[in-house]
Amino acid sequence: MSHVTIIGAGIIGINCAVSLRKAGYDVTVIDRLPPGEGCSFGNAGVLATSAFEPLAGPDTLLKVPGWLLNPDSPLFIQWRHLPRLIPWLAQYARAGMFGDFNAACEALFPLMAPSLELYSQLTAEAGVPELVSRCGGLYVYKNKQQFELAGAGFQRRRERGFDFMALDHTDIRDQEPALSSDYKWAYLVRDYAHIVNPKRLVDALATYAGSLGAEIDVDDVLDVEMGSEGPKTLVTGKGNRPLDKLVIAAGAYSHHLCAKFGDKVPLETERGYHVMINEPGLLPSMPIMDNDVKAWITPMEHGLRCAGTVELASLDAPENHRRAQVLLRLAKRMVPALNVTDYSVWMGRRPTLPDSIPVIGPATHVSNVFYAFGHQHLGLTGAPATANLITELVAGRRPNRSLSAYRADRF
Ligand SMILES: Cc1cc2nc3c(=O)[nH]c(=O)nc-3n(C[C@H](O)[C@H](O)[C@H](O)COP(=O)(O)OP(=O)(O)OC[C@H]3O[C@@H](n4cnc5c(N)ncnc54)[C@H](O)[C@@H]3O)c2cc1C
């Protein structure tokens, strides 16, 4: 069996390592950071199994001008980066307004839908079943019109066999007594689950991959040397490494590596933030999403996490802690009795393509290179199914559905 090098030890790369190792490949994962220290460190933990609709729809795009004028809104642009961002934003808006909505749903559905089942199995195998909490999720609204507008999307989930329930303010109080009475309407999504510590999940799966025989190395990939039949050597901070097969799971940095293989992929980073509130005094029973700020409060094993928002800047722009303060204020508004005196803040770089669909599949021009990146707001959810698909492709098997929506050269 051949050897596979994976660049990236985030949730995508580590899931690929487990899946490829189980299929019998020798596996080496290389990351400049220890496992789970990139975007996968601090997400909201939600396994959004029924979130198969692309985020950039006409409804969302129409709200953007209003959001840009409000510093507490879900979207913030660091204006000095706007000239560089304009072409990507134009592609994003075009995909949202005129893209094939049904095709995007068909592409996202098989990545998201099996997530809970796959993680239940993986965490059991890794000896950490307690990391998956099957408590559902709650989308809450102050405004009846927004609640009703969202109804069509929830109905489409029902048509695909997912379960949800509309709640009024009395039901909400019964469900979450500590939640602010400003929330008058909600959808309870019963098929959601969440990971109670996303960093510990990556660590546990990395340890599991190691126990199966995968090698995980902290090292910086600097360059790739090409031979006549594709990439031959990986140039890293620790020296040169010979290559057989290569998987690029480098999150928001993946496009730099794809460019070496002639694939120009319009990957941008949607920076998101969290505040992790230690000793909050009380916890909701499940993750709750505020529809105005589009952020989750999630009960974690080590406190309450409020995570979300999008900041467009650049990969290396400094962190903007005002965005985290928006989240801290939101958490306190959502659950007024929270104790928010002790907290930490974090920023992560979501890897996002203009059509909200990841790139999964072979490189366009060279053999033995495979891509697995661009999972935007749903990388935790979509990682195990992505990894299984990558394993099929590395093994040379063609899955019995079209993979064209994930192609690197679709733009
Ligand atoms: C605030 C926030 C909330 C979120 N909430 C959710 C949620 O509730 N549910 C959900 O499903 N998803 C959520 N997400 C999205 C999810 O976290 C991401 O989609 C996912 O973490 C991406 O994983 P990744 O492995 O592709 O990237 P990463 O975790 O960033 O891993 C990529 C790795 O590649 C390494 N790397 C890059 N280039 C090189 C190089 N040249 N050499 C060596 N190493 C390299 C990096 O160091 C990094 O560790 C959220 C994201 C954010 C920011």
Side-chain angles (χ1 to χ4, degrees):
M1 206 41 103
S2 47
H3 180 268
V4 185
T5 303
I6 301 169
I7 304 178
I11 192 67
I12 303 290
I14 290 296
N15 265 284
C16 288
V18 170
S19 177
L20 284 160
R21 192 64 208 111
K22 280 183 179 176
Y25 290 92
D26 289 332
V27 172
T28 303
V29 185
I30 301 176
D31 196 310
R32 58 168 79 104
L33 301 170
E37 294 283 336
C39 188
S40 305
F41 177 90
N43 57 54
V46 178
L47 299 183
T49 41
S50 56
F52 54 81
E53 298 195 349
L55 282 181
D59 291 350
T60 312
L61 290 168
L62 289 172
K63 290 183 193 145
V64 167
W67 283 345
L68 292 178
L69 298 172
N70 174 4
D72 279 10
S73 80
L75 173 66
F76 180 79
I77 297 186
Q78 291 195 13
W79 294 109
R80 67 179 180 287
H81 298 285
L82 187 62
R84 187 190 63 77
L85 288 165
I86 281 174
W88 186 87
L89 286 169
Q91 272 181 301
Y92 188 81
R94 208 167 40 241
M97 299 302 278
F98 310 115
D100 187 336
F101 177 79
N102 290 330
C105 294
E106 289 307 319
L108 290 171
F109 181 81
L111 301 178
M112 306 306 153
S115 180
L116 175 55
E117 194 187 326
L118 294 174
Y119 272 122
S120 299
Q121 188 188 329
L122 277 167
T123 52
E125 288 166 10
V128 286
E130 74 280 4
L131 285 178
V132 180
S133 168
R134 295 164 170 263
C135 295
L138 197 62
Y139 287 80
V140 292
Y141 302 80
K142 293 176 194 155
N143 176 308
K144 189 169 189 189
Q145 196 194 1
Q146 294 299 323
F147 167 75
E148 286 175 348
L149 264 179
F154 283 99
Q155 193 51 41
R156 287 192 289 273
R157 294 176 186 213
R158 180 168 280 163
E159 283 157 18
R160 292 207 184 225
F162 291 106
D163 187 24
F164 78 92
M165 228 174 105
L167 306 186
D168 67 10
H169 64 281
T170 313
D171 304 325
I172 299 173
R173 291 300 79 73
D174 291 347
Q175 186 72 47
E176 294 296 341
L179 194 66
S180 162
S181 55
D182 290 347
Y183 296 106
K184 310 271 190 241
W185 297 275
Y187 293 106
L188 172 64
V189 186
R190 291 200 206 125
D191 52 77
Y192 274 16
H194 73 282
I195 299 295
V196 297
N197 187 337
K199 162 66 174 157
R200 192 156 80 83
L201 173 71
V202 186
D203 282 340
L205 294 182
T207 303
Y208 178 46
S211 74
L212 296 174
E215 189 193 341
I216 299 175
D217 210 352
V218 177
D219 196 358
D220 201 356
V221 176
L222 305 172
D223 203 357
V224 186
E225 286 176 357
M226 302 298 284
S228 56
E229 293 184 5
K232 202 176 62 165
T233 312
L234 213 51
V235 182
T236 73
K238 291 184 181 170
N240 287 358
R241 296 165 181 259
L243 282 178
D244 184 2
K245 295 179 195 295
L246 179 63
V247 174
I248 309 291
Y253 300 84
S254 300
H255 54 321
H256 297 316
L257 294 156
C258 300
K260 299 197 183 297
F261 311 121
D263 279 312
K264 199 166 175 293
V265 183
L267 186 71
E268 194 44 69
T269 174
E270 289 185 86
R271 294 147 52 106
Y273 288 81
H274 84 213
V275 289
M276 188 68 221
I277 302 166
N278 308 311
E279 312 286 348
L282 75 172
L283 289 172
S285 70
M286 67 179 80
I288 305 177
M289 150 80 86
D290 171 271
N291 181 63
D292 293 337
V293 184
K294 308 271 183 234
W296 290 96
I297 50 170
T298 305
M300 296 279 172
E301 64 180 4
H302 49 313
L304 182 74
R305 176 169 295 174
C306 185
T309 84
V310 169
E311 179 186 51
L312 295 175
S314 69
L315 268 174
D316 50 6
E319 289 186 22
N320 171 5
H321 281 194
R322 283 190 54 194
R323 295 304 289 163
Q325 290 304 319
V326 170
L327 294 172
L328 191 64
R329 287 197 295 274
L330 173 70
K332 186 70 184 164
R333 279 201 309 275
M334 289 179 80
V335 184
L338 275 185
N339 169 20
V340 295
T341 46
D342 179 12
Y343 64 90
S344 56
V345 305
W346 169 88
M347 185 271 288
R349 299 168 178 84
R350 300 184 190 91
T352 302
L353 281 309
D355 57 4
S356 301
I357 300 171
V359 173
I360 306 171
T364 313
H365 309 288
V366 294
S367 57
N368 290 348
V369 177
F370 300 86
Y371 298 145
F373 63 84
H375 292 71
Q376 34 96 10
H377 296 242
L378 293 166
L380 171 68
T381 310
T386 298
N388 291 345
L389 199 49
I390 285 291
T391 301
E392 292 291 295
L393 293 167
V394 168
R397 290 190 287 269
R398 296 295 305 168
N400 58 1
R401 65 186 174 95
S402 167
L403 302 183
S404 59
Y406 311 125
R407 285 171 67 122
D409 64 351
R410 66 184 187 265
F411 298 99

